[in-house]
Amino acid sequence: MSDTPASGAQPGEEYCSGTPSPVSGPRQGGRAWLPPLSQWSLRLRLCLFFLLILITAWALAGLLAWKECKEYIDEFYDSQQMLFAKRLASASFSNLTDRLPSTQSALKGDEHAEKGELEDDALAFAVFRVNGEAVLTDGERGDSIVFQNKAAGFIETHIRGTQEPWRIVWLPSMDGKFLIAVGQELEFRDDMALSMLEELLFPWALLVPALFVGFIWMLSRELSPLSTLSRQLESRQADDTAPLQMQRIPSEIRFTVKALNSLFVRIGDLLARERAFISDAAHELRTPLTALRIQAEVASLAKDDRAGREHALEKMLCGIEKSTQLVEQLLTLSRLETMQDKDPTELIRRRVDWLSMLDELVLEHRSRVEKKGITLHCAIIEEPQPFSGYPVLIALVLRNLFDNAAKYTPDAGDIAITLDRNSLTIENSGPGVPDSFIPYLGERFARPPGQASPGSGLGLSIAKRAAAINGLTLSLQNRRQGSGQGFIARIFIP
């Protein structure tokens, strides 16, 4: 494949804005680029970081060791040079030749003499008169030392025949007639420091791969619970809400596993509620749909019976209205059950005006209760303390509780609404509810036996869930006054 750039791009141009990066982008020009570092596996990234840290630490240790070796060698040889110069300064140079024989020449006559491992540039010396005349050298590199009349102490300079720097100490003799120069090539010191460093770092050079392999083994062993956890999650069925196993789970991810198990519990509860909801909804919708079908068949058969056909159509309209109300209640209940698991972000929390809500409730339902001859009492004992909630849902609670009271209050009965500092109470006269059925009130489709009033059993369930979302407690119980009975719904305001 040709490597010619895309149209409009010249060789050597940088990538324009919006062009995928050649490091993290997709396949370009037939080559697969590496993914971003954040997409690499955790094991690979940790191994690379550890290797980088290990090599960096090894390099820093080498630099520090080099510095220490250099300082030690400089200190050692500076001391040797100064000591050698002092010994020469105390010697007598009256009967000296100008040059000592070389080591090889001095030992030439003795074939069995051990010549040793010598370095010509390890140390060299020369003795000069104050006029610059050389009176004595070591016979090796001392001949190349250049006389410097005003030199004193240690200096770094060059000698004849070489460009490598030398470190030379200059010291006058005790009688002041001579100058002693003792020098050493600096490269010799560097080579010695490098040799010491190699001897020091060589074992570590062998240990670094061993440490890296050991780290990979340890990392794979310690990350094996994550692999086990991944396999558990991959093999789970969609409806499997069983908790994950906590054995051998490191403390760093234990909270994550606990959060997952808690999530599975909530998902299991949600699935159970949805299944029960679908089952109950299907059961409750079967009856009105069957009734609608029967009335439709009756209307189709009553071809010449106008009164019968109109009666059947009237029954159908009534059934459609009840079915519509049932579906609306089911949708409302479904939304409320979803809100119980999280804050309803689509609603606005603000201060609840209980007096205003009660006025709207009474105005909305006054005509309904007056048709049944029901006496409505409303008493405001004390305005409740400030409370922040979702007024839309609280209005839904009050509406459902009042509808329930108006539906089951007999003709010429009474309904009393009482508001005080810590509660709002709606109580009505009537037969009440069997005491054994009180614990089931608020469940979906729960209707006491023997009820003549139509209903689906969802009103109190909706009210209970809407109250819980607002942080309110709803209490349902019978009211007994002498031989009569009634029912009390009380909302406790925190």
Side-chain angles (χ1 to χ4, degrees), residues 410-428:
D411 295 346
D414 64 88
I415 297 177
I417 301 176
T418 305
L419 179 65
D420 59 24
R421 181 173 178 81
N422 297 313
S423 65
L424 187 149
T425 305
I426 300 177
E427 51 184 318
N428 62 285

Side-chain angles (χ1 to χ4, degrees), residues 292-409:
L292 289 175
R293 180 178 179 180
I294 293 174
Q295 294 301 328
E297 292 177 351
V298 171
S300 63
L301 293 175
K303 296 180 180 180
D304 299 328
D305 187 358
R306 180 178 180 181
R309 185 169 61 254
E310 291 180 354
H311 178 73
L313 292 175
E314 183 180 354
K315 291 291 185 181
M316 285 182 63
L317 291 175
C318 182
I320 291 173
E321 182 179 356
K322 292 180 179 179
S323 299
T324 302
Q325 183 182 5
L326 176 59
V327 171
E328 290 177 353
Q329 287 183 320
L330 289 173
L331 292 175
T332 301
L333 185 60
S334 177
R335 286 194 295 267
L336 291 176
E337 289 183 340
T338 303
M339 290 180 183
Q340 281 187 294
D341 297 329
K342 59 181 180 180
D343 291 335
T345 55
E346 67 274 13
L347 300 179
I348 300 176
R349 180 182 286 273
R350 60 175 182 265
R351 187 176 182 276
V352 177
D353 188 352
W354 295 97
L355 297 179
S356 176
M357 297 182 71
L358 282 181
D359 290 341
E360 293 179 3
L361 181 69
V362 171
L363 291 175
E364 182 181 355
H365 295 86
R366 181 180 295 277
S367 60
R368 176 183 176 186
V369 297
E370 287 179 351
K371 290 180 180 179
K372 296 180 64 175
I374 297 174
T375 303
L376 181 60
H377 306 278
C378 189
I380 309 299
I381 299 176
E382 183 180 359
E383 186 176 356
Q385 53 191 351
F387 173 74
S388 178
Y390 303 105
V392 174
L393 297 182
I394 294 178
L396 180 64
V397 175
L398 298 180
R399 189 182 309 114
N400 278 271
L401 292 179
F402 195 90
D403 285 343
N404 190 73
K407 182 186 298 183
Y408 294 104
T409 300

Side-chain angles (χ1 to χ4, degrees), residues 158-473:
H158 297 279
I159 64 175
R160 285 188 294 268
T162 179
Q163 295 297 322
E164 299 297 333
W166 276 60
R167 186 169 175 81
I168 302 176
V169 58
W170 292 85
L171 192 68
S173 64
M174 295 184 65
D175 56 8
K177 297 179 180 180
F178 301 93
L179 279 178
I180 290 85
V182 179
Q184 185 180 50
E185 188 179 3
L186 290 179
E187 186 180 1
F188 174 78
R189 298 187 181 189
D190 293 340
D191 292 342
M192 180 172 287
L194 183 60
S195 298
M196 294 176 63
L197 183 64
E198 289 176 352
E199 295 295 330
L200 180 64
L201 295 183
F202 180 72
W204 286 101
L206 298 178
L207 285 176
V208 165
L211 288 174
F212 186 62
V213 172
F215 177 78
I216 294 176
W217 173 81
M218 179 191 67
L219 186 64
S220 300
R221 179 179 179 274
E222 295 302 320
L223 290 180
S224 59
L226 289 178
S227 301
T228 303
L229 183 63
S230 299
R231 289 193 296 270
Q232 288 187 42
L233 292 174
E234 289 177 357
S235 61
R236 292 172 75 92
Q237 299 296 326
D239 58 347
D240 186 3
T241 58
L244 296 170
Q245 299 297 323
M246 299 288 290
Q247 287 80 5
R248 296 184 64 242
I249 295 296
S251 59
E252 288 79 5
I253 63 171
R254 187 174 293 273
F255 294 105
T256 301
V257 176
K258 287 183 178 180
L260 283 174
N261 288 336
S262 177
L263 176 63
F264 290 151
V265 171
R266 295 196 299 271
I267 291 176
D269 294 341
L270 179 62
L271 290 176
R273 290 201 304 266
E274 287 183 352
R275 289 167 182 156
F277 179 82
I278 293 173
S279 176
D280 294 340
H283 176 74
E284 290 297 323
L285 287 173
R286 185 183 297 116
T287 300
L289 290 177
T290 303
L292 289 175
R293 180 178 179 180
I294 293 174
Q295 294 301 328
E297 292 177 351
V298 171
S300 63
L301 293 175
K303 296 180 180 180
D304 299 328
D305 187 358
R306 180 178 180 181
R309 185 169 61 254
E310 291 180 354
H311 178 73
L313 292 175
E314 183 180 354
K315 291 291 185 181
M316 285 182 63
L317 291 175
C318 182
I320 291 173
E321 182 179 356
K322 292 180 179 179
S323 299
T324 302
Q325 183 182 5
L326 176 59
V327 171
E328 290 177 353
Q329 287 183 320
L330 289 173
L331 292 175
T332 301
L333 185 60
S334 177
R335 286 194 295 267
L336 291 176
E337 289 183 340
T338 303
M339 290 180 183
Q340 281 187 294
D341 297 329
K342 59 181 180 180
D343 291 335
T345 55
E346 67 274 13
L347 300 179
I348 300 176
R349 180 182 286 273
R350 60 175 182 265
R351 187 176 182 276
V352 177
D353 188 352
W354 295 97
L355 297 179
S356 176
M357 297 182 71
L358 282 181
D359 290 341
E360 293 179 3
L361 181 69
V362 171
L363 291 175
E364 182 181 355
H365 295 86
R366 181 180 295 277
S367 60
R368 176 183 176 186
V369 297
E370 287 179 351
K371 290 180 180 179
K372 296 180 64 175
I374 297 174
T375 303
L376 181 60
H377 306 278
C378 189
I380 309 299
I381 299 176
E382 183 180 359
E383 186 176 356
Q385 53 191 351
F387 173 74
S388 178
Y390 303 105
V392 174
L393 297 182
I394 294 178
L396 180 64
V397 175
L398 298 180
R399 189 182 309 114
N400 278 271
L401 292 179
F402 195 90
D403 285 343
N404 190 73
K407 182 186 298 183
Y408 294 104
T409 300
D411 295 346
D414 64 88
I415 297 177
I417 301 176
T418 305
L419 179 65
D420 59 24
R421 181 173 178 81
N422 297 313
S423 65
L424 187 149
T425 305
I426 300 177
E427 51 184 318
N428 62 285
S429 60
V433 178
D435 291 337
S436 60
F437 198 80
I438 291 292
Y440 301 101
L441 291 177
E443 295 184 1
R444 288 186 301 236
F445 306 106
R447 298 197 68 205
Q451 293 290 333
S453 300
S456 59
L458 292 176
L460 291 179
S461 180
I462 292 174
K464 190 173 183 179
R465 282 160 176 76
I469 293 173
N470 283 275
L472 303 173
T473 303

Side-chain angles (χ1 to χ4, degrees), residues 128 145-152 155-158 168 170 179:
F128 298 92
I145 297 178
V146 180
F147 176 75
Q148 298 186 29
N149 185 30
K150 297 183 179 181
I155 64 172
E156 293 184 5
T157 184
H158 297 279
I168 302 176
W170 292 85
L179 279 178

